[in-house]
Amino acid sequence: MSEEMSKPVPRPGILDIAAYVPGKEHAPGVARVYKLSSNETPLGASPKAIEAFRAAAANLERYPDGQAIELREAIAAVHGLNPANILCGNGSDELLGLLCHVYLGAGAEAIITEHGFLVYKIQIMGAGATPVSVKEKDATVDVDAILAAVTPNTKMVFIANPGNPTGTYVPVSEIRRLQAALPKNVVLVLDAAYAEYVRRNDYEAGIEIVSSNANVVMTRTFSKVYGLAALRVGWMYAPAEIVDALNRVRGPFNMNSAAISAGAAAIRDQAFVQETVVFNQMWLDKLTSAFEALGLKVTPSVTNFVLIHFPDVDGKRAADADDFLTSRGYILRAVKGYGFANSLRMSIGPEEANRGVIEALGEFLGRKA
């Protein structure tokens, strides 16, 4: 009997996928651990979101609203959008997967960039399509490289803007140039998970581009600035035809009631969001300056994390720094899988963690922090 007949076998290509590995969370033997590996906000969720979450516990016997109307209307009110063009999901990861499931398949290609979010490749391959990776320029998406990779088989392009783990961004003028040059049947996916943190006049998350084109979608998340990572809340702004297509295969109750209510309360509490953004910007500047003063290179970031590059010297490389920091309770993210073999990504954490990492890296490098 052949192997195919003796047991269930995944379809071709599935076992070629490298499973996503989250940032580590534990430092054995350390009393106080600061997890700075997953870009979580140190300020937590809005008190109003927490209150809404608790209130949802009173009706656990009921199915959630399958249309997530409360959340979609809150998003629409804050951003000035039509709720009909908004689709909510179990994190933006689910929405990215739905896009691939609906618009990709065997023989199709989807373009990703050199340091792009690893989930893109996983979802593309999961749909039976072929990921095509293009080089970035100075850890930033290169529009010309993307356009050069387009073929008749190209059906989708993924751009994380800002990028993760780089923290860099592409100006809106470049995004518009890319969209204008792409074939009209190619879906341009703008993943704006960190958009709320960006303070640059030439940046636009994607709302305007989606509004004026039939082949662009923007995805966003509540896991970062809104502090709802535990609830898995994501949303997409897209043309009506794309929303309709995804709704046909979306699970009927893909979001739970607590996530819907907490998400709606969180996005309406923009005062809390601004507090989070101000705290983030202050420490983004301080950490960048401190690390550079220690002689480390830091990729300029507009997000809530920094990409730190280490010297190619025995005992001082990123892996050595990672071990040293972990032994002191500071968990950063190794990013070898993203093409940065000698770098660590650090989420901006609470003040005591930020100061602690600066001091620890000074000790590690033998320099005064």
Side-chain angles (χ1 to χ4, degrees):
M1 182 181 294
S2 67
E3 181 182 5
E4 289 78 7
M5 297 294 290
S6 65
K7 62 181 180 181
V9 177
R11 61 177 171 77
I14 294 298
L15 297 184
D16 295 328
I17 300 173
Y20 183 80
V21 180
K24 63 183 179 180
E25 299 186 36
H26 306 290
V30 179
R32 179 69 171 94
V33 176
Y34 293 96
K35 180 171 172 260
L36 307 171
S37 58
S38 297
N39 302 338
E40 298 155 340
T41 171
L43 273 63
S46 158
K48 295 179 180 179
I50 296 172
E51 180 182 355
F53 172 82
R54 289 174 174 157
N59 297 291
L60 296 184
E61 76 284 3
R62 297 179 181 173
Y63 280 101
D65 172 15
Q67 301 300 316
I69 292 174
E70 178 187 9
L71 179 56
R72 288 168 51 226
E73 289 184 345
I75 293 169
V78 169
H79 289 283
L81 305 175
N82 183 345
N85 294 101
I86 296 172
L87 180 65
C88 296
N90 186 37
S92 55
D93 290 350
E94 182 194 18
L95 301 172
L96 296 171
L98 286 172
L99 281 167
C100 291
H101 181 54
V102 170
Y103 289 98
L104 300 179
E109 295 175 353
I111 296 174
I112 57 179
T113 64
E114 181 181 10
H115 306 301
F117 189 29
L118 294 177
V119 167
Y120 306 152
K121 183 177 181 180
I122 292 172
Q123 297 289 8
I124 293 165
M125 294 179 68
T130 301
V132 177
S133 182
V134 303
K135 290 289 186 181
E136 296 187 7
K137 183 183 295 183
D138 298 325
T140 304
V141 168
D142 184 344
V143 167
D144 290 319
I146 292 173
L147 292 174
V150 174
T151 74
N153 295 325
T154 303
K155 303 302 178 186
M156 194 170 292
V157 174
F158 287 90
I159 292 182
N161 195 30
N164 172 26
T166 62
T168 61
Y169 76 101
V170 183
V172 65
S173 58
E174 282 294 275
I175 298 296
R176 291 188 182 282
R177 183 167 73 88
L178 171 61
Q179 189 283 327
L182 285 175
K184 300 306 180 185
N185 67 322
V186 174
V187 181
L188 174 59
V189 182
L190 303 176
D191 180 357
Y194 299 91
E196 289 84 0
Y197 291 109
V198 186
R199 292 297 176 265
R200 296 291 190 276
N201 291 334
D202 59 351
Y203 174 80
E204 204 275 312
I207 289 175
E208 294 180 6
I209 300 174
V210 172
S211 297
S212 55
N213 293 283
N215 66 329
V216 186
V217 304
M218 175 194 69
T219 61
R220 302 281 280 268
T221 181
F222 281 75
S223 296
K224 307 306 177 186
V225 79
Y226 291 106
L228 298 182
L231 293 182
R232 311 307 300 125
V233 185
W235 63 283
M236 173 188 294
Y237 178 55
E241 289 185 356
I242 292 180
V243 171
D244 175 66
L246 268 59
N247 265 325
R248 293 169 186 264
V249 298
R250 174 181 62 83
F253 302 106
N254 64 322
M255 296 193 67
N256 65 74
S257 295
I260 292 171
S261 295
I267 198 167
R268 290 186 185 279
D269 191 358
Q270 287 296 307
F272 185 83
V273 173
Q274 289 308 307
E275 290 179 25
T276 303
V277 170
V278 169
F279 177 90
N280 181 80
Q281 188 62 53
M282 176 182 68
W283 277 104
L284 179 64
D285 295 339
K286 286 185 176 182
L287 287 170
T288 300
S289 297
F291 295 150
E292 289 178 340
L294 291 172
L296 297 169
K297 179 184 176 183
V298 179
T299 298
S301 174
V302 296
T303 61
N304 68 333
F305 59 83
V306 289
L307 183 62
I308 312 164
H309 307 278
F310 289 81
D312 189 15
V313 176
D314 289 346
K316 302 299 180 184
R317 296 185 177 91
D320 305 306
D322 194 20
D323 290 341
F324 186 90
L325 290 168
T326 299
S327 71
R328 284 155 176 75
Y330 302 109
I331 299 178
L332 275 62
R333 179 69 183 267
V335 285
K336 183 177 181 180
Y338 284 94
F340 296 103
N342 197 27
S343 307
L344 296 175
R345 189 194 69 194
M346 175 185 170
S347 310
I348 293 170
E351 179 174 353
E352 61 269 25
N354 298 333
R355 294 191 185 279
V357 171
I358 294 171
E359 183 177 349
L361 281 178
E363 182 182 350
F364 168 74
L365 294 167
R367 300 174 185 175
K368 186 176 181 179

